[in-house]
Amino acid sequence: MIWRIISPENLGWALREERKERGMNQTEAGKLVGIDQSTVSKVEQGKAGTRLDTLFRLLAALDLELVLQPRQKHREEGKEEDW
């Protein structure tokens, strides 16, 4: 599935959904790449302070990749939706 990620909380929710879709619990996902369960939980909650290497390791555990593209403009008055 393709997710539109616009906040740390949104990213955490998407990662949690992808992990569950793969039938893994947090411990199993973390063990694949050397991350403990509490760290996976913090990432999934969108907690501030997640290190980039931790994020990329979790993406690898879930067989996901990060893709950047230009942001879609909000249809009304050209406003950005978030941030």
Side-chain angles (χ1 to χ4, degrees):
M1 171 169 286
I2 296 175
W3 298 93
R4 184 167 181 266
I5 306 300
I6 57 174
S7 70
E9 295 82 9
N10 182 244
L11 175 60
W13 185 83
L15 291 172
R16 181 177 61 246
E17 292 301 311
E18 289 287 339
R19 174 183 54 76
K20 287 181 178 182
E21 188 167 310
R22 286 161 176 73
M24 287 189 272
N25 63 35
Q26 291 176 338
T27 301
E28 293 167 334
K31 279 186 180 181
L32 290 173
V33 290
I35 300 172
D36 61 30
Q37 178 276 326
S38 63
T39 301
V40 174
S41 177
K42 288 176 187 175
V43 174
E44 289 184 358
Q45 291 174 40
K47 299 277 185 179
T50 298
R51 292 174 28 170
L52 285 176
D53 65 314
T54 300
L55 172 60
F56 281 102
R57 289 165 67 187
L58 186 53
L59 289 170
L62 299 175
D63 198 27
L64 298 170
E65 63 185 11
L66 180 66
V67 176
L68 299 177
Q69 67 181 31
R71 182 179 240 188
Q72 298 283 327
K73 297 279 186 185
H74 190 274
R75 292 180 187 237
E76 295 179 23
E77 302 175 19
K79 293 182 182 176
E80 296 291 331
E81 293 182 23
D82 291 293
W83 298 66

